[in-house]
Amino acid sequence: MNLRLMSVHAHPDDESSKGAATLAKYAAEGVEVLVVTCTGGERGDVLNPAMDRPGVRENLAAIRRDEMAEARRILGVRQRFLGFVDSGLPGPGEPLPEGCFALAPLEEAAGRLVGLIRSFRPHVVVTYDETGGYPHPDHIRTHQVTVAAFDAAGEAGRHPEAGAPWRPLKLYYQGGLSRPWFQALHDAMTARGMDSGMREVLAELPEAGLEITTRVPCAEYFATRDRALLAHATQIDPNTGFMVHDRDVEREVWPTEDYHLARSHVAVDTDADIDVATPEDDLFAGVRRPRRSTAAAGAAASPGCGRCGSP
């Protein structure tokens, strides 16, 4: 089976800060990987002081497209823009700008993504949970659009203009940069006499978080992730934030990228003799070797809608 993975994000650089090592790992293994970027990041800030110079802000949309192309090359994946305009991050009480992604009608936005799902035919789709990972309107809208498209893509009567139906088999939410991740790295670096720089972040993060069902081992691709991140030079300051924690410590204490399995049309297990959903170590668990012994697995393997869900 030629496996296919689609990862849906709000802006250029999100694909490199959220699950990038996973994408690089699967791409290196021969999985077809498509990153979908909902907006062009036109209203983003220049977050790297070295890039805050004449000509950058005026040409930010074009520069971010070039950065995205380089990050895509580094990760070894394909990439498509969905074609919406960045909503920016309005302050309290400020309205969203007219024509932005967050104000786009849900059915219209989902229809565009349905078209990409039906043409690429992913077995697995990854996006953000209902919080967006953080409360940026484009991240929240990305969640809403992806879930709506995941549900609609396999139904022949919905968006008939978008091509033949295709039902993705699994939907995941990003679970990275969680409080446990920050705490584990902080504790490990502190124990080694290092300044983690994470105290302020830990003080702000809520105790509760997304339930993690799936941990993908990918430490050997952290360096690839970092190169892809640095390709987004307007957005990533190499001297602050995520870029400054010790990578050897990270590989030792947290060698995975983490996900929450939100929906599955296949039975997944970690043991050939039992039928349990977690913990997984592979986004394609249950897809590589579909279980045929249960009614649920049989139904998933024969969805009864033409090519929907077929490999």
Side-chain angles (χ1 to χ4, degrees):
M1 179 188 296
N2 192 16
L3 297 172
R4 294 177 293 276
L5 169 65
M6 175 182 283
S7 189
V8 187
H9 292 278
H11 311 107
D13 82 86
D14 288 327
E15 84 297 327
S16 296
S17 61
K18 302 166 188 66
T22 300
L23 301 184
K25 168 191 170 74
Y26 282 123
E29 292 175 355
V31 173
E32 292 184 48
V33 180
L34 175 65
V35 169
V36 178
T37 312
C38 293
T39 81
E42 300 88 348
R43 290 191 171 95
D45 293 323
V46 178
L47 301 176
N48 180 0
M51 291 293 292
D52 195 359
R53 57 180 187 252
V56 173
R57 291 182 183 274
E58 298 90 331
N59 298 289
L60 189 60
I63 290 170
R64 295 197 72 178
R65 280 185 171 266
D66 289 344
E67 292 174 345
M68 181 70 252
E70 177 62 9
R72 176 207 63 73
R73 184 194 66 78
I74 291 167
L75 294 174
V77 304
R78 296 161 59 186
Q79 187 267 342
R80 291 281 301 275
F81 284 99
L82 201 57
F84 290 97
V85 176
D86 187 354
S87 304
L89 190 57
E94 293 182 4
L96 289 163
E98 185 178 350
C100 71
F101 177 50
L103 294 179
L106 180 59
E107 193 70 4
E108 174 194 340
R112 291 194 197 181
L113 186 56
V114 165
L116 286 181
I117 289 174
R118 288 177 178 173
S119 62
F120 181 63
R121 302 192 302 166
H123 301 95
V124 174
V125 176
V126 182
T127 193
Y128 318 131
D129 68 15
E130 60 274 9
T131 71
Y134 77 108
H136 189 295
D138 286 340
H139 283 247
I140 294 170
R141 198 55 162 171
T142 295
H143 161 80
Q144 295 166 345
V145 167
T146 306
V147 171
F150 182 89
D151 291 339
E155 297 185 19
R158 299 183 65 182
H159 302 286
E161 76 288 350
W166 173 266
R167 185 179 71 173
L169 297 178
K170 302 176 82 175
L171 174 67
Y172 285 94
Y173 298 155
Q174 298 277 354
L177 301 181
S178 62
R179 183 183 180 89
W181 182 87
F182 278 103
Q183 190 69 62
L185 264 67
H186 171 75
D187 291 346
M189 292 173 69
T190 301
R192 291 161 173 77
M194 303 175 181
D195 179 8
S196 77
M198 296 179 179
R199 292 185 186 278
E200 291 184 5
V201 176
L202 283 167
E204 296 175 358
L205 287 173
E207 293 291 338
L210 191 65
E211 178 192 5
I212 298 302
T213 65
T214 310
R215 301 184 186 276
V216 178
C218 53
E220 65 270 33
Y221 293 97
F222 286 173
T224 305
R225 170 203 67 189
D226 291 347
R227 291 199 305 274
L229 264 172
L230 291 171
H232 293 282
T234 61
Q235 305 302 302
I236 305 299
D237 182 348
N239 301 308
T240 61
F242 179 81
M243 299 309 301
V244 298
H245 71 262
D246 188 277
R247 268 34 184 182
D248 289 334
V249 172
E250 182 188 12
R251 291 184 185 93
E252 178 182 341
V253 303
W254 208 285
T256 65
E257 289 182 335
D258 305 334
Y259 302 87
H260 171 81
L261 177 60
R263 301 187 187 180
S264 180
H265 296 303
V266 295
V268 293
D269 63 18
T270 56
D271 187 301
D273 299 320
I274 58 175
D275 201 17
V276 296
T278 58
E280 299 176 322
D281 62 3
D282 180 11
L283 298 182
F284 293 96
V287 178
R288 296 181 192 272
R289 296 177 300 278
R291 290 173 62 86
R292 306 289 182 176
S293 59
T294 67
S302 304
C305 58
R307 290 167 58 191
C308 307
S310 60

